[in-house]
């Protein structure tokens, strides 16, 4: 997929790093806004203003938790698969006898 769109992506790399950071930030804000709109849209109506605030608060907490999980550094220098032992996957690694 990236090979088909490489010509469209490379001009992005010509921007200064500060401008690229602004674009990344704008994308994150748009993503959060989308998540909040999705939560309020699926609910329909709210009986009180406090109900709206509560659902938005819970959506923000869920989003923050998701970001913490996605941005957490991996143990062993970033290789998340190296922490698993072969016994975690029985039958996948042949035994030599």
């Amino acid at each position: 997929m990236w090979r088909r769109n490489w010509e469209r992506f490379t001009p992005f790399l010509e921007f200064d790093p500060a401008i690229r950071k602004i674009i990344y930030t704008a994308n994150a804000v748009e993503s959060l806004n989308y998540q909040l709109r999705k939560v309020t849209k699926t609910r329909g109506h709210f009986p009180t203003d406090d109900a709206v605030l509560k659902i938005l608060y819970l959506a923000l907490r869920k989003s923050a938790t998701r970001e913490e999980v996605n941005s957490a550094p991996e143990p062993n220098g970033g290789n998340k698969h190296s922490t698993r032992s072969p016994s975690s996957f029985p039958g996948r690694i042949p035994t030599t006898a």
Side-chain angles (χ1 to χ4, degrees):
M1 178 171 166
W2 65 270
R3 290 178 195 219
R4 287 182 298 181
N5 295 311
W6 186 250
E7 291 80 25
R8 294 175 62 197
F9 175 70
T10 51
F12 174 76
L13 298 175
E14 294 174 10
F15 289 116
D16 290 335
I19 293 176
R20 289 196 305 243
K21 186 174 182 178
I22 291 171
I23 294 170
Y24 296 146
T25 304
N27 288 342
V29 169
E30 289 174 10
S31 174
L32 180 61
N33 186 33
Y34 170 76
Q35 291 172 5
L36 295 177
R37 279 184 297 154
K38 186 169 74 169
V39 167
T40 57
K41 186 177 180 180
T42 57
R43 286 283 188 199
H45 81 284
F46 297 92
T48 64
D49 290 346
D50 286 339
V52 176
L53 293 175
K54 183 176 181 180
I55 198 76
L56 291 175
Y57 171 75
L58 293 173
L60 287 171
R61 280 190 55 170
K62 182 177 181 182
S63 177
T65 303
R66 186 178 310 128
E67 286 300 317
E68 289 172 5
V69 168
N70 289 340
S71 65
E74 296 291 338
N76 296 328
N79 188 351
K80 65 182 177 183
H81 300 292
S82 66
T83 60
R84 296 187 177 164
S85 67
S87 62
S88 298
F89 306 102
R92 290 190 183 179
I93 299 176
T95 57
T96 56

